[in-house]
Amino acid sequence: MSLDAHTPMPGRGFADRIVRRGPLEAIATTIIAAGVVMLMQPFSLTLYSWSFATTLFGTVLFTIVSKVRE
């Protein structure tokens, strides 16, 4: 029994369509960029204090998302 490439897979729900690599990589990249901007701004010590945690979170998220299927 073989699956046709053009036949939609049964059981592909809403979550399977949302959890895809492309959009999640874009979100992770945006979080990393926000962390870098927070690091380089001269106005708020609170933003500067959270910049490393934000950048680290984005990097970990990107690493996890890179393992998700296309």
Short mmCIF file of all heavy atoms in Angstrom, two decimals:
data_model
loop_
_atom_site.label_atom_id
_atom_site.label_comp_id
_atom_site.label_asym_id
_atom_site.label_seq_id
_atom_site.Cartn_x
_atom_site.Cartn_y
_atom_site.Cartn_z
N MET A 1 0.84 -1.17 0.00
CA MET A 1 0.00 0.00 0.00
C MET A 1 0.89 1.24 0.00
O MET A 1 1.74 1.41 0.85
CB MET A 1 -0.88 -0.03 1.24
CG MET A 1 -1.87 1.08 1.27
SD MET A 1 -3.16 0.74 2.46
CE MET A 1 -2.66 1.82 3.75
N SER A 2 0.72 2.11 -0.98
CA SER A 2 1.54 3.31 -1.07
C SER A 2 0.66 4.54 -0.98
O SER A 2 -0.51 4.52 -1.34
CB SER A 2 2.33 3.32 -2.37
OG SER A 2 1.43 3.43 -3.45
N LEU A 3 1.24 5.60 -0.49
CA LEU A 3 0.52 6.86 -0.38
C LEU A 3 0.84 7.73 -1.59
O LEU A 3 1.99 7.87 -1.97
CB LEU A 3 0.91 7.61 0.89
CG LEU A 3 0.46 6.98 2.20
CD1 LEU A 3 1.05 7.76 3.35
CD2 LEU A 3 -1.04 6.96 2.28
N ASP A 4 -0.16 8.28 -2.18
CA ASP A 4 0.03 9.19 -3.29
C ASP A 4 0.50 10.54 -2.73
O ASP A 4 0.05 11.00 -1.69
CB ASP A 4 -1.29 9.36 -4.05
CG ASP A 4 -1.13 10.19 -5.31
OD1 ASP A 4 0.03 10.38 -5.75
OD2 ASP A 4 -2.16 10.64 -5.84
N ALA A 5 1.43 11.18 -3.42
CA ALA A 5 2.00 12.44 -2.93
C ALA A 5 0.97 13.57 -2.91
O ALA A 5 1.10 14.52 -2.17
CB ALA A 5 3.19 12.84 -3.78
N HIS A 6 -0.07 13.45 -3.73
CA HIS A 6 -1.05 14.53 -3.82
C HIS A 6 -2.27 14.29 -2.93
O HIS A 6 -3.15 15.12 -2.84
CB HIS A 6 -1.51 14.70 -5.27
CG HIS A 6 -0.38 15.04 -6.19
ND1 HIS A 6 0.26 16.27 -6.14
CD2 HIS A 6 0.25 14.33 -7.14
CE1 HIS A 6 1.21 16.28 -7.04
NE2 HIS A 6 1.23 15.11 -7.66
N THR A 7 -2.31 13.15 -2.27
CA THR A 7 -3.42 12.84 -1.39
C THR A 7 -3.17 13.44 -0.02
O THR A 7 -2.11 13.24 0.56
CB THR A 7 -3.59 11.32 -1.25
OG1 THR A 7 -3.71 10.75 -2.54
CG2 THR A 7 -4.81 10.98 -0.42
N PRO A 8 -4.11 14.22 0.50
CA PRO A 8 -3.90 14.77 1.85
C PRO A 8 -3.85 13.65 2.88
O PRO A 8 -4.59 12.68 2.80
CB PRO A 8 -5.10 15.68 2.07
CG PRO A 8 -6.11 15.29 1.06
CD PRO A 8 -5.39 14.60 -0.06
N MET A 9 -2.96 13.82 3.84
CA MET A 9 -2.80 12.80 4.87
C MET A 9 -3.97 12.85 5.82
O MET A 9 -4.37 13.93 6.26
CB MET A 9 -1.49 13.01 5.63
CG MET A 9 -0.30 12.89 4.73
SD MET A 9 1.20 12.39 5.51
CE MET A 9 0.73 11.26 6.74
N PRO A 10 -4.55 11.71 6.15
CA PRO A 10 -5.63 11.73 7.13
C PRO A 10 -5.07 12.09 8.50
O PRO A 10 -3.96 11.70 8.85
CB PRO A 10 -6.14 10.29 7.10
CG PRO A 10 -5.01 9.48 6.60
CD PRO A 10 -4.23 10.39 5.68
N GLY A 11 -5.81 12.85 9.25
CA GLY A 11 -5.37 13.20 10.59
C GLY A 11 -4.57 14.48 10.65
O GLY A 11 -4.02 14.81 11.67
N ARG A 12 -4.43 15.20 9.53
CA ARG A 12 -3.74 16.49 9.57
C ARG A 12 -4.71 17.53 10.08
O ARG A 12 -5.58 17.99 9.37
CB ARG A 12 -3.23 16.87 8.19
CG ARG A 12 -2.13 15.97 7.77
CD ARG A 12 -1.03 16.57 7.05
NE ARG A 12 -0.73 17.95 7.29
CZ ARG A 12 0.48 18.41 7.20
NH1 ARG A 12 1.46 17.62 6.92
NH2 ARG A 12 0.72 19.69 7.37
N GLY A 13 -4.56 17.86 11.32
CA GLY A 13 -5.48 18.79 11.95
C GLY A 13 -4.97 20.21 11.92
O GLY A 13 -3.99 20.54 11.25
N PHE A 14 -5.65 21.04 12.68
CA PHE A 14 -5.32 22.46 12.75
C PHE A 14 -3.93 22.66 13.33
O PHE A 14 -3.16 23.48 12.82
CB PHE A 14 -6.37 23.17 13.60
CG PHE A 14 -6.14 24.64 13.73
CD1 PHE A 14 -6.34 25.47 12.65
CD2 PHE A 14 -5.72 25.18 14.93
CE1 PHE A 14 -6.12 26.84 12.76
CE2 PHE A 14 -5.50 26.53 15.05
CZ PHE A 14 -5.71 27.36 13.96
N ALA A 15 -3.58 21.91 14.36
CA ALA A 15 -2.27 22.06 15.00
C ALA A 15 -1.14 21.66 14.06
O ALA A 15 -0.08 22.28 14.07
CB ALA A 15 -2.21 21.22 16.27
N ASP A 16 -1.36 20.64 13.24
CA ASP A 16 -0.32 20.22 12.30
C ASP A 16 -0.06 21.28 11.23
O ASP A 16 1.05 21.42 10.73
CB ASP A 16 -0.71 18.91 11.61
CG ASP A 16 -0.59 17.72 12.55
OD1 ASP A 16 0.16 17.82 13.54
OD2 ASP A 16 -1.26 16.70 12.29
N ARG A 17 -1.09 22.03 10.88
CA ARG A 17 -0.91 23.09 9.90
C ARG A 17 -0.24 24.31 10.51
O ARG A 17 0.46 25.04 9.82
CB ARG A 17 -2.25 23.48 9.28
CG ARG A 17 -2.71 22.46 8.26
CD ARG A 17 -4.01 22.88 7.65
NE ARG A 17 -5.06 22.28 8.49
CZ ARG A 17 -6.25 22.79 8.67
NH1 ARG A 17 -6.59 23.90 8.08
NH2 ARG A 17 -7.13 22.19 9.44
N ILE A 18 -0.44 24.54 11.80
CA ILE A 18 0.14 25.70 12.47
C ILE A 18 1.61 25.44 12.84
O ILE A 18 2.46 26.29 12.67
CB ILE A 18 -0.67 26.06 13.73
CG1 ILE A 18 -2.07 26.49 13.34
CG2 ILE A 18 0.01 27.15 14.54
CD1 ILE A 18 -2.13 27.71 12.45
N VAL A 19 1.90 24.24 13.35
CA VAL A 19 3.25 23.92 13.82
C VAL A 19 4.08 23.49 12.62
O VAL A 19 4.19 22.32 12.31
CB VAL A 19 3.20 22.80 14.90
CG1 VAL A 19 4.60 22.47 15.38
CG2 VAL A 19 2.33 23.22 16.06
N ARG A 20 4.65 24.46 11.95
CA ARG A 20 5.49 24.21 10.80
C ARG A 20 6.80 24.97 10.99
O ARG A 20 6.87 25.94 11.72
CB ARG A 20 4.80 24.68 9.53
CG ARG A 20 3.50 23.89 9.33
CD ARG A 20 2.98 24.07 7.98
NE ARG A 20 4.01 23.71 7.03
CZ ARG A 20 3.84 23.76 5.74
NH1 ARG A 20 2.73 24.15 5.23
NH2 ARG A 20 4.83 23.44 4.93
N ARG A 21 7.82 24.54 10.31
CA ARG A 21 9.15 25.10 10.52
C ARG A 21 9.26 26.56 10.11
O ARG A 21 9.82 27.38 10.82
CB ARG A 21 10.19 24.28 9.76
CG ARG A 21 11.59 24.81 10.01
CD ARG A 21 12.62 24.10 9.20
NE ARG A 21 12.77 22.73 9.64
CZ ARG A 21 13.63 21.89 9.11
NH1 ARG A 21 14.40 22.28 8.13
NH2 ARG A 21 13.72 20.67 9.54
N GLY A 22 8.74 26.92 8.97
CA GLY A 22 8.91 28.28 8.45
C GLY A 22 8.43 29.38 9.38
O GLY A 22 9.21 30.26 9.76
N PRO A 23 7.16 29.36 9.77
CA PRO A 23 6.69 30.43 10.66
C PRO A 23 7.37 30.42 12.03
O PRO A 23 7.65 31.48 12.60
CB PRO A 23 5.20 30.14 10.80
CG PRO A 23 4.84 29.30 9.63
CD PRO A 23 6.07 28.53 9.29
N LEU A 24 7.64 29.24 12.56
CA LEU A 24 8.27 29.17 13.88
C LEU A 24 9.72 29.66 13.82
O LEU A 24 10.20 30.28 14.77
CB LEU A 24 8.20 27.75 14.42
CG LEU A 24 6.80 27.26 14.78
CD1 LEU A 24 6.84 25.81 15.24
CD2 LEU A 24 6.18 28.14 15.84
N GLU A 25 10.44 29.39 12.72
CA GLU A 25 11.79 29.92 12.58
C GLU A 25 11.76 31.44 12.49
O GLU A 25 12.64 32.11 13.04
CB GLU A 25 12.48 29.33 11.36
CG GLU A 25 13.05 27.96 11.59
CD GLU A 25 13.80 27.43 10.38
OE1 GLU A 25 13.72 28.03 9.30
OE2 GLU A 25 14.47 26.39 10.53
N ALA A 26 10.76 31.98 11.83
CA ALA A 26 10.64 33.43 11.73
C ALA A 26 10.38 34.05 13.11
O ALA A 26 10.95 35.10 13.44
CB ALA A 26 9.52 33.80 10.76
N ILE A 27 9.55 33.40 13.91
CA ILE A 27 9.28 33.89 15.27
C ILE A 27 10.55 33.83 16.11
O ILE A 27 10.88 34.78 16.83
CB ILE A 27 8.14 33.08 15.91
CG1 ILE A 27 6.82 33.40 15.21
CG2 ILE A 27 8.04 33.36 17.41
CD1 ILE A 27 5.68 32.48 15.59
N ALA A 28 11.28 32.72 16.03
CA ALA A 28 12.51 32.58 16.81
C ALA A 28 13.55 33.62 16.38
O ALA A 28 14.23 34.21 17.23
CB ALA A 28 13.07 31.17 16.64
N THR A 29 13.66 33.87 15.09
CA THR A 29 14.60 34.87 14.59
C THR A 29 14.21 36.27 15.07
O THR A 29 15.08 37.07 15.43
CB THR A 29 14.65 34.82 13.06
OG1 THR A 29 15.00 33.50 12.65
CG2 THR A 29 15.68 35.79 12.51
N THR A 30 12.92 36.55 15.10
CA THR A 30 12.45 37.85 15.59
C THR A 30 12.76 38.03 17.07
O THR A 30 13.17 39.11 17.51
CB THR A 30 10.93 37.98 15.35
OG1 THR A 30 10.67 37.79 13.96
CG2 THR A 30 10.42 39.32 15.80
N ILE A 31 12.63 36.96 17.86
CA ILE A 31 12.96 37.03 19.29
C ILE A 31 14.45 37.27 19.48
O ILE A 31 14.86 38.08 20.33
CB ILE A 31 12.49 35.75 20.01
CG1 ILE A 31 10.96 35.69 20.02
CG2 ILE A 31 13.04 35.68 21.43
CD1 ILE A 31 10.41 34.38 20.54
N ILE A 32 15.28 36.61 18.68
CA ILE A 32 16.73 36.83 18.76
C ILE A 32 17.06 38.28 18.42
O ILE A 32 17.85 38.94 19.11
CB ILE A 32 17.48 35.85 17.84
CG1 ILE A 32 17.33 34.42 18.34
CG2 ILE A 32 18.95 36.22 17.74
CD1 ILE A 32 17.81 33.37 17.36
N ALA A 33 16.45 38.79 17.35
CA ALA A 33 16.70 40.18 16.95
C ALA A 33 16.24 41.16 18.02
O ALA A 33 16.92 42.16 18.29
CB ALA A 33 16.00 40.47 15.62
N ALA A 34 15.11 40.87 18.65
CA ALA A 34 14.63 41.74 19.73
C ALA A 34 15.61 41.75 20.90
O ALA A 34 15.87 42.80 21.50
CB ALA A 34 13.25 41.28 20.20
N GLY A 35 16.18 40.59 21.21
CA GLY A 35 17.17 40.52 22.28
C GLY A 35 18.42 41.33 21.97
O GLY A 35 18.98 42.01 22.84
N VAL A 36 18.85 41.30 20.72
CA VAL A 36 20.03 42.08 20.32
C VAL A 36 19.73 43.57 20.38
O VAL A 36 20.56 44.37 20.84
CB VAL A 36 20.51 41.65 18.92
CG1 VAL A 36 21.59 42.58 18.39
CG2 VAL A 36 21.02 40.22 18.95
N VAL A 37 18.54 43.97 19.93
CA VAL A 37 18.16 45.39 20.02
C VAL A 37 18.08 45.82 21.47
O VAL A 37 18.53 46.92 21.83
CB VAL A 37 16.81 45.63 19.29
CG1 VAL A 37 16.25 47.01 19.60
CG2 VAL A 37 16.98 45.44 17.80
N MET A 38 17.53 44.97 22.33
CA MET A 38 17.47 45.28 23.76
C MET A 38 18.87 45.45 24.34
O MET A 38 19.10 46.28 25.23
CB MET A 38 16.73 44.17 24.51
CG MET A 38 15.24 44.13 24.23
SD MET A 38 14.44 42.61 24.76
CE MET A 38 14.76 42.60 26.51
N LEU A 39 19.82 44.68 23.84
CA LEU A 39 21.19 44.75 24.33
C LEU A 39 21.86 46.07 23.93
O LEU A 39 22.66 46.62 24.68
CB LEU A 39 21.99 43.57 23.79
CG LEU A 39 23.45 43.46 24.16
CD1 LEU A 39 23.59 43.15 25.64
CD2 LEU A 39 24.12 42.39 23.34
N MET A 40 21.51 46.58 22.77
CA MET A 40 22.22 47.73 22.23
C MET A 40 21.56 49.08 22.53
O MET A 40 22.15 50.12 22.22
CB MET A 40 22.36 47.56 20.71
CG MET A 40 23.17 46.32 20.37
SD MET A 40 23.08 45.89 18.66
CE MET A 40 24.36 46.90 18.00
N GLN A 41 20.38 49.08 23.11
CA GLN A 41 19.70 50.35 23.38
C GLN A 41 20.26 51.00 24.65
O GLN A 41 20.62 50.30 25.59
CB GLN A 41 18.19 50.14 23.47
CG GLN A 41 17.73 49.16 24.52
CD GLN A 41 17.64 49.75 25.90
OE1 GLN A 41 17.35 50.93 26.06
NE2 GLN A 41 17.88 48.95 26.90
N PRO A 42 20.35 52.32 24.67
CA PRO A 42 20.97 52.99 25.82
C PRO A 42 19.98 53.57 26.83
O PRO A 42 20.39 54.28 27.75
CB PRO A 42 21.73 54.14 25.15
CG PRO A 42 20.87 54.51 24.00
CD PRO A 42 20.28 53.20 23.52
N PHE A 43 18.67 53.30 26.72
CA PHE A 43 17.68 54.02 27.50
C PHE A 43 17.19 53.30 28.74
O PHE A 43 16.93 53.93 29.75
CB PHE A 43 16.47 54.36 26.62
CG PHE A 43 16.85 55.17 25.41
CD1 PHE A 43 16.77 54.61 24.15
CD2 PHE A 43 17.32 56.45 25.55
CE1 PHE A 43 17.13 55.35 23.04
CE2 PHE A 43 17.69 57.19 24.45
CZ PHE A 43 17.60 56.64 23.19
N SER A 44 17.02 51.99 28.69
CA SER A 44 16.37 51.28 29.78
C SER A 44 17.27 50.18 30.33
O SER A 44 17.67 49.26 29.60
CB SER A 44 15.06 50.67 29.28
OG SER A 44 14.50 49.86 30.28
N LEU A 45 17.55 50.26 31.61
CA LEU A 45 18.37 49.22 32.25
C LEU A 45 17.60 47.91 32.35
O LEU A 45 18.20 46.83 32.27
CB LEU A 45 18.81 49.70 33.63
CG LEU A 45 19.77 48.78 34.39
CD1 LEU A 45 21.06 48.61 33.59
CD2 LEU A 45 20.07 49.33 35.76
N THR A 46 16.29 47.98 32.47
CA THR A 46 15.47 46.76 32.54
C THR A 46 15.54 45.98 31.23
O THR A 46 15.70 44.76 31.24
CB THR A 46 14.01 47.11 32.86
OG1 THR A 46 13.98 47.88 34.07
CG2 THR A 46 13.18 45.87 33.02
N LEU A 47 15.40 46.69 30.10
CA LEU A 47 15.52 46.01 28.81
C LEU A 47 16.91 45.41 28.64
O LEU A 47 17.06 44.29 28.16
CB LEU A 47 15.24 46.99 27.66
CG LEU A 47 13.80 47.43 27.48
CD1 LEU A 47 13.69 48.44 26.35
CD2 LEU A 47 12.90 46.24 27.21
N TYR A 48 17.93 46.16 29.04
CA TYR A 48 19.29 45.65 28.95
C TYR A 48 19.47 44.41 29.83
O TYR A 48 20.11 43.44 29.44
CB TYR A 48 20.29 46.74 29.37
CG TYR A 48 21.72 46.27 29.33
CD1 TYR A 48 22.40 46.18 28.14
CD2 TYR A 48 22.38 45.92 30.51
CE1 TYR A 48 23.71 45.75 28.10
CE2 TYR A 48 23.69 45.49 30.48
CZ TYR A 48 24.36 45.40 29.28
OH TYR A 48 25.65 44.96 29.24
N SER A 49 18.86 44.41 30.99
CA SER A 49 18.99 43.29 31.92
C SER A 49 18.35 42.02 31.35
O SER A 49 18.83 40.92 31.59
CB SER A 49 18.33 43.62 33.26
OG SER A 49 18.97 44.73 33.84
N TRP A 50 17.25 42.16 30.62
CA TRP A 50 16.55 41.01 30.06
C TRP A 50 17.05 40.62 28.67
O TRP A 50 16.58 39.63 28.10
CB TRP A 50 15.06 41.30 30.01
CG TRP A 50 14.41 41.13 31.34
CD1 TRP A 50 14.16 42.10 32.24
CD2 TRP A 50 13.97 39.91 31.92
NE1 TRP A 50 13.57 41.56 33.37
CE2 TRP A 50 13.44 40.20 33.19
CE3 TRP A 50 13.97 38.59 31.49
CZ2 TRP A 50 12.91 39.24 34.02
CZ3 TRP A 50 13.44 37.62 32.32
CH2 TRP A 50 12.93 37.94 33.57
N SER A 51 17.98 41.36 28.11
CA SER A 51 18.40 41.10 26.73
C SER A 51 19.08 39.74 26.57
O SER A 51 18.81 39.03 25.58
CB SER A 51 19.34 42.21 26.26
OG SER A 51 20.54 42.19 27.01
N PHE A 52 19.91 39.35 27.50
CA PHE A 52 20.59 38.07 27.36
C PHE A 52 19.60 36.92 27.44
O PHE A 52 19.66 35.97 26.65
CB PHE A 52 21.68 37.90 28.43
CG PHE A 52 22.36 36.56 28.37
CD1 PHE A 52 23.26 36.28 27.36
CD2 PHE A 52 22.06 35.56 29.29
CE1 PHE A 52 23.88 35.04 27.28
CE2 PHE A 52 22.67 34.33 29.22
CZ PHE A 52 23.59 34.06 28.21
N ALA A 53 18.67 36.99 28.39
CA ALA A 53 17.67 35.93 28.53
C ALA A 53 16.80 35.83 27.28
O ALA A 53 16.46 34.73 26.83
CB ALA A 53 16.81 36.18 29.76
N THR A 54 16.45 36.97 26.70
CA THR A 54 15.63 36.99 25.49
C THR A 54 16.38 36.37 24.31
O THR A 54 15.84 35.55 23.57
CB THR A 54 15.21 38.43 25.16
OG1 THR A 54 14.54 38.98 26.28
CG2 THR A 54 14.30 38.46 23.95
N THR A 55 17.63 36.76 24.15
CA THR A 55 18.44 36.21 23.07
C THR A 55 18.66 34.71 23.26
O THR A 55 18.57 33.93 22.29
CB THR A 55 19.80 36.94 22.98
OG1 THR A 55 19.56 38.34 22.88
CG2 THR A 55 20.60 36.48 21.79
N LEU A 56 18.91 34.30 24.47
CA LEU A 56 19.10 32.88 24.76
C LEU A 56 17.83 32.09 24.48
O LEU A 56 17.87 31.01 23.88
CB LEU A 56 19.55 32.70 26.21
CG LEU A 56 19.84 31.26 26.64
CD1 LEU A 56 21.01 30.70 25.84
CD2 LEU A 56 20.14 31.22 28.12
N PHE A 57 16.69 32.62 24.90
CA PHE A 57 15.41 31.95 24.64
C PHE A 57 15.17 31.81 23.14
O PHE A 57 14.74 30.75 22.66
CB PHE A 57 14.27 32.74 25.29
CG PHE A 57 12.91 32.18 24.96
CD1 PHE A 57 12.48 31.00 25.52
CD2 PHE A 57 12.07 32.85 24.08
CE1 PHE A 57 11.23 30.47 25.22
CE2 PHE A 57 10.82 32.33 23.77
CZ PHE A 57 10.41 31.14 24.34
N GLY A 58 15.43 32.85 22.37
CA GLY A 58 15.26 32.78 20.93
C GLY A 58 16.19 31.77 20.28
O GLY A 58 15.80 31.05 19.36
N THR A 59 17.41 31.68 20.78
CA THR A 59 18.37 30.72 20.24
C THR A 59 17.94 29.29 20.54
O THR A 59 18.01 28.41 19.67
CB THR A 59 19.77 30.99 20.82
OG1 THR A 59 20.12 32.34 20.54
CG2 THR A 59 20.80 30.06 20.24
N VAL A 60 17.50 29.03 21.77
CA VAL A 60 17.03 27.70 22.13
C VAL A 60 15.78 27.34 21.32
O VAL A 60 15.66 26.22 20.82
CB VAL A 60 16.77 27.61 23.65
CG1 VAL A 60 16.03 26.34 24.02
CG2 VAL A 60 18.07 27.72 24.42
N LEU A 61 14.88 28.29 21.18
CA LEU A 61 13.68 28.06 20.37
C LEU A 61 14.04 27.74 18.93
O LEU A 61 13.48 26.83 18.32
CB LEU A 61 12.77 29.28 20.44
CG LEU A 61 11.43 29.18 19.71
CD1 LEU A 61 10.57 28.09 20.35
CD2 LEU A 61 10.72 30.51 19.74
N PHE A 62 15.00 28.47 18.35
CA PHE A 62 15.41 28.22 16.98
C PHE A 62 16.02 26.83 16.85
O PHE A 62 15.78 26.12 15.86
CB PHE A 62 16.42 29.28 16.53
CG PHE A 62 16.74 29.21 15.08
CD1 PHE A 62 15.96 29.86 14.15
CD2 PHE A 62 17.84 28.48 14.62
CE1 PHE A 62 16.25 29.80 12.80
CE2 PHE A 62 18.14 28.41 13.29
CZ PHE A 62 17.34 29.07 12.37
N THR A 63 16.80 26.41 17.83
CA THR A 63 17.41 25.08 17.80
C THR A 63 16.34 23.99 17.85
O THR A 63 16.42 23.00 17.12
CB THR A 63 18.39 24.92 18.98
OG1 THR A 63 19.37 25.95 18.91
CG2 THR A 63 19.05 23.56 18.96
N ILE A 64 15.34 24.18 18.69
CA ILE A 64 14.26 23.19 18.79
C ILE A 64 13.42 23.17 17.52
O ILE A 64 13.09 22.10 16.99
CB ILE A 64 13.38 23.48 20.03
CG1 ILE A 64 14.18 23.24 21.30
CG2 ILE A 64 12.12 22.65 20.01
CD1 ILE A 64 13.51 23.73 22.56
N VAL A 65 13.10 24.35 17.00
CA VAL A 65 12.26 24.44 15.81
C VAL A 65 12.96 23.86 14.59
O VAL A 65 12.31 23.31 13.70
CB VAL A 65 11.84 25.91 15.58
CG1 VAL A 65 11.27 26.13 14.20
CG2 VAL A 65 10.87 26.34 16.63
N SER A 66 14.27 23.94 14.55
CA SER A 66 14.99 23.39 13.39
C SER A 66 14.85 21.87 13.29
O SER A 66 15.12 21.30 12.24
CB SER A 66 16.46 23.78 13.44
OG SER A 66 17.10 23.14 14.52
N LYS A 67 14.38 21.23 14.35
CA LYS A 67 14.15 19.79 14.33
C LYS A 67 12.73 19.42 13.89
O LYS A 67 12.44 18.27 13.66
CB LYS A 67 14.39 19.19 15.72
CG LYS A 67 15.72 19.55 16.33
CD LYS A 67 16.86 18.92 15.58
CE LYS A 67 18.16 19.14 16.33
NZ LYS A 67 19.06 20.07 15.70
N VAL A 68 11.85 20.44 13.78
CA VAL A 68 10.47 20.20 13.37
C VAL A 68 10.42 19.96 11.88
O VAL A 68 11.20 20.52 11.11
CB VAL A 68 9.60 21.43 13.75
CG1 VAL A 68 8.19 21.29 13.21
CG2 VAL A 68 9.58 21.61 15.24
N ARG A 69 9.49 19.12 11.44
CA ARG A 69 9.39 18.79 10.02
C ARG A 69 8.95 20.00 9.21
O ARG A 69 8.40 20.96 9.71
CB ARG A 69 8.40 17.66 9.82
CG ARG A 69 7.02 18.08 10.17
CD ARG A 69 6.02 17.05 9.83
NE ARG A 69 4.74 17.57 10.35
CZ ARG A 69 3.79 16.87 10.82
NH1 ARG A 69 3.89 15.58 10.82
NH2 ARG A 69 2.70 17.42 11.28
N GLU A 70 9.20 19.91 7.93
CA GLU A 70 8.79 20.97 7.01
C GLU A 70 7.31 20.98 7.00
O GLU A 70 6.57 21.73 6.76
CB GLU A 70 9.30 20.70 5.60
CG GLU A 70 10.77 20.87 5.46
CD GLU A 70 11.21 22.32 5.46
OE1 GLU A 70 10.46 23.19 5.01
OE2 GLU A 70 12.30 22.58 5.93
#
